[in-house]
Amino acid sequence: MAPNGVVYDKSLIVSFGEMLIDFVPTVSGVSLAEAPGFLKAPGGAPANVAIAVSRLGSKASFIGKLGDDEFGHMLADILKQNGVSGDGILFDQGARTALAFVTLRADGEREFMFYRNPSADMLLTPEELNLDLIRSAKVFHYGSISLIVEPCRSAHLKAMEVAKESGALLSYDPNLRLPLWPSADEARKQILSIWDKADIIKVSDVELEFLTGSNKIDDETAMKLWRPNLTLLLITLGEKGSMYYTKYFHGSVDAFHVNTVDTTGAGDSFVGALLCKIVEDPTILENESKLREVLKFANACGAITTTKKGAIPALPTEAEVLALINGA
């Protein structure tokens, strides 16, 4: 129980890291300079995962720092409106909420230009962490952007340590954003520096290539990222589905084919779905047929998320996912 009398649910999925505003061009397939205008879209991978979890009916909380500005309060309200607990949100009076300008290419893929010098999320300190909230997590999920600079890096490492000590499953999606790192080598080094702490890791095909240096997407390449501490390693392949690896079995699950408009948030939706199902039934990690069903569900979540612009508006409900799976 927290000191203020709050009792946290032990089925809680806690997401740690950044939340920001993406400015998305009103027209696809043009450069930032050519874009006639931009729409603001709330984003940030850990926040997207928290909302994905909540939208699928599970309990979610977000830990991170926002600017004490209109955008920061707007983002906190969006979490609240989407049923995500805000007990871990802090506001910084000296720094702004992070912004990103996103180019949507004609194929729905993205390029980024960030405004973070420094942004509020980078200034979270270990002392500011809500440790009771972290200790109550059944799953503690994070990315790698929070590893880039101090003091947020130390806060991230402390939060992971406390979650692990409290028996949480640690879930890691590196979410590579190269423009934010000092160099590609530093990104690779820091992303891998916490690899042996996680129970579940999800990487995209692009991240697999970046981290291994191999342009082959096969079992041999994937196994370069396997560590004894892992329970589950996942590689997402976009329209080609996903590959899974555990200590006992491995395989792949096909994707659902949809009309892709914007890939933003598809990976976060996939992760959110997976974590919801693991909290409901942890035995899926040891049972291949159950895991395949869950990954089919997660693939469907990811697919639906690509059919609309922006991440958060596109994150599906369970009913929408089942409709796609059942061909409705």
Side-chain angles (χ1 to χ4, degrees):
M1 186 185 279
N4 59 1
V6 176
V7 180
Y8 291 114
D9 191 306
K10 210 33 190 161
S11 63
L12 187 66
I13 296 168
V14 174
S15 242
F16 174 92
E18 71 286 348
M19 189 175 193
L20 60 143
I21 295 182
D22 289 336
F23 283 87
V24 184
T26 49
V27 177
S28 296
V30 297
S31 69
L32 288 178
E34 292 164 341
F38 296 89
L39 293 169
K40 58 182 194 296
N48 291 344
V49 169
I51 293 174
V53 164
S54 178
R55 200 159 291 171
L56 289 169
S58 294
K59 294 197 168 57
S61 191
F62 174 76
I63 295 177
K65 207 173 202 188
L66 301 165
D68 191 5
D69 51 37
E70 282 201 31
F71 283 153
H73 289 283
M74 178 191 112
L75 293 176
D77 286 346
I78 285 166
L79 287 169
K80 210 172 290 176
Q81 287 158 18
N82 282 281
V84 175
S85 144
D87 291 353
I89 297 172
L90 294 145
F91 293 96
D92 193 290
Q93 294 184 337
R96 296 278 187 222
T97 302
L99 308 178
F101 284 82
V102 184
T103 313
L104 269 186
R105 298 201 316 241
D107 62 0
E109 287 297 336
R110 302 149 299 155
E111 288 163 2
F112 296 88
M113 182 166 76
F114 293 93
Y115 284 75
R116 296 169 89 233
N117 55 334
S119 53
D121 59 287
M122 300 156 74
L123 302 177
L124 179 66
T125 67
E127 295 71 35
E128 291 173 313
L129 291 169
N130 181 336
L131 298 181
D132 289 307
L133 180 57
I134 296 167
R135 287 188 186 108
S136 70
K138 179 97 174 200
V139 175
F140 184 73
H141 176 75
Y142 47 89
S144 71
I145 289 172
S146 38
L147 293 174
I148 299 174
V149 291
E150 292 290 2
C152 187
R153 178 183 166 78
S154 291
H156 180 140
L157 297 176
K158 168 85 170 171
M160 273 172 44
E161 184 189 324
V162 170
K164 191 81 170 171
E165 282 169 2
S166 306
L169 266 181
L170 266 53
S171 162
Y172 183 22
D173 177 356
N175 236 299
L176 177 66
R177 296 286 178 267
L178 260 183
L180 292 177
W181 290 91
S183 68
D185 284 347
E186 182 68 6
R188 199 176 289 107
K189 181 180 151 197
Q190 295 304 340
I191 286 170
L192 292 172
S193 72
I194 57 167
W195 210 256
D196 60 355
K197 300 276 193 283
D199 300 293
I200 298 162
I201 294 179
K202 173 248 153 195
V203 292
S204 68
D205 44 5
V206 174
E207 289 159 348
L208 176 69
E209 189 174 328
F210 175 76
L211 293 169
T212 62
S214 166
N215 58 6
K216 287 200 184 80
I217 297 167
D218 56 18
D219 293 342
E220 191 184 337
T221 306
M223 287 312 287
K224 290 180 183 175
L225 295 181
W226 181 262
R227 299 289 184 278
N229 53 286
L230 280 173
T231 306
L232 177 63
L233 172 66
L234 294 157
I235 321 284
T236 53
L237 310 170
E239 61 198 20
K240 296 194 182 85
S242 51
M243 292 154 60
Y244 60 88
Y245 299 85
T246 76
K247 289 182 176 75
Y248 313 106
F249 47 79
H250 65 88
S252 61
V253 178
D254 290 339
F256 288 86
H257 292 286
V258 292
N259 184 20
T260 295
V261 174
D262 175 8
T263 58
T264 307
D268 305 325
S269 182
F270 175 93
V271 170
L274 172 77
L275 298 181
C276 286
K277 296 298 182 187
I278 289 171
V279 164
E280 279 173 28
D281 180 8
T283 67
I284 67 159
L285 295 167
E286 285 123 42
N287 180 318
E288 188 168 14
S289 62
K290 280 187 187 178
L291 180 63
R292 291 183 65 83
E293 280 304 304
V294 166
L295 293 177
K296 185 176 171 184
F297 182 89
N299 282 352
C301 280
I304 291 168
T305 308
T306 70
T307 61
K308 295 182 199 164
K309 269 194 180 174
I312 290 169
L315 296 168
T317 61
E318 181 125 8
E320 289 172 312
V321 181
L322 296 176
L324 177 62
I325 290 173
N326 298 326

